[in-house]
Amino acid sequence: MDTCLFCKIVRGEIPAHTVYEDDATLAFLDIHPVNPGHTLVVPKRHSFNLLDIDPADWAAVAESTRHVSKLVHDVLAADGINLQMNNREHAGQDVDHPHVHIIPRYRGDGLPHWRGKSYQPGEAEEIIAKLRAAHA
Ligand code: 5GP
Ligand code: ZN
């Protein structure tokens, strides 16, 4: 994709701090880190997000994410790791190329966790029936 920001980073047309690279994936520092070492893992082949990525590309991203998470955790002496992937605009996706955020976490770093809601009576059963029917 000519105009895609992360395709341009993959092609080397825009500079980035590369953390890790293999045939199918690239991992580089996020330009606005939540914590230092915040890394993005992307497939080299363009798609939009988790909803249209080729399964083989996703498998490669998943394995690179595991590898780089351990690297970031161990080398930066993190106390934990969060993974986040925003898929589509209303989930917070700004760049339309799949990317997994690897965020090193530190004791007392103050980042809030999202809050859980509660199901209304019957709501979980309704949802599970829809999801299971789609798999039948
Ligand atoms: P999203 O909101 O789409 O999940 O995340 C996009 C991420 O890309 C943001 O965290 C943002 O800081 C990062 N980003 C945007 N432009 C650039 C860039 O030119 N270089 C790098 N390394 N990261 C970028
Ligand atoms: Zn792209």
Side-chain angles (χ1 to χ4, degrees):
M1 268 272 277
D2 287 356
T3 57
C4 170
L5 178 63
F6 288 170
C7 281
K8 286 184 182 176
I9 288 178
V10 166
R11 290 195 298 266
E13 294 167 16
I14 291 177
H17 292 99
T18 298
V19 176
Y20 171 78
E21 181 172 14
D22 59 28
D23 286 350
T25 69
L26 183 70
F28 51 92
L29 294 182
D30 192 302
I31 205 167
H32 297 302
V34 170
N35 275 332
H38 178 171
T39 298
L40 302 174
V41 181
V42 307
K44 289 187 171 176
R45 189 189 350 223
H46 180 83
S47 57
F48 286 102
N49 56 41
L50 184 65
L51 302 170
D52 72 334
I53 191 171
D54 178 89
D57 286 341
W58 173 245
V61 168
E63 173 52 15
S64 293
T65 298
R66 186 201 61 77
H67 175 75
V68 175
S69 292
K70 183 154 173 49
L71 183 78
V72 167
H73 175 271
D74 292 355
V75 173
L76 301 183
D79 296 315
I81 292 284
N82 281 135
L83 299 182
Q84 178 154 336
M85 186 176 193
N86 303 323
N87 298 285
R88 301 189 65 194
E89 180 185 355
H90 292 287
Q93 184 175 6
D94 285 333
V95 178
D96 285 341
H97 182 121
H99 51 284
V100 177
H101 296 255
I102 298 173
I103 300 168
R105 296 296 305 272
Y106 295 90
R107 191 176 296 108
D109 66 11
L111 296 176
H113 198 9
W114 56 29
R115 298 180 81 84
K117 300 175 184 170
S118 297
Y119 282 111
Q120 296 301 309
E123 195 182 2
E125 289 72 15
E126 204 176 300
I127 286 168
I128 207 70
K130 277 188 201 167
L131 292 172
R132 288 185 182 159
H135 262 288

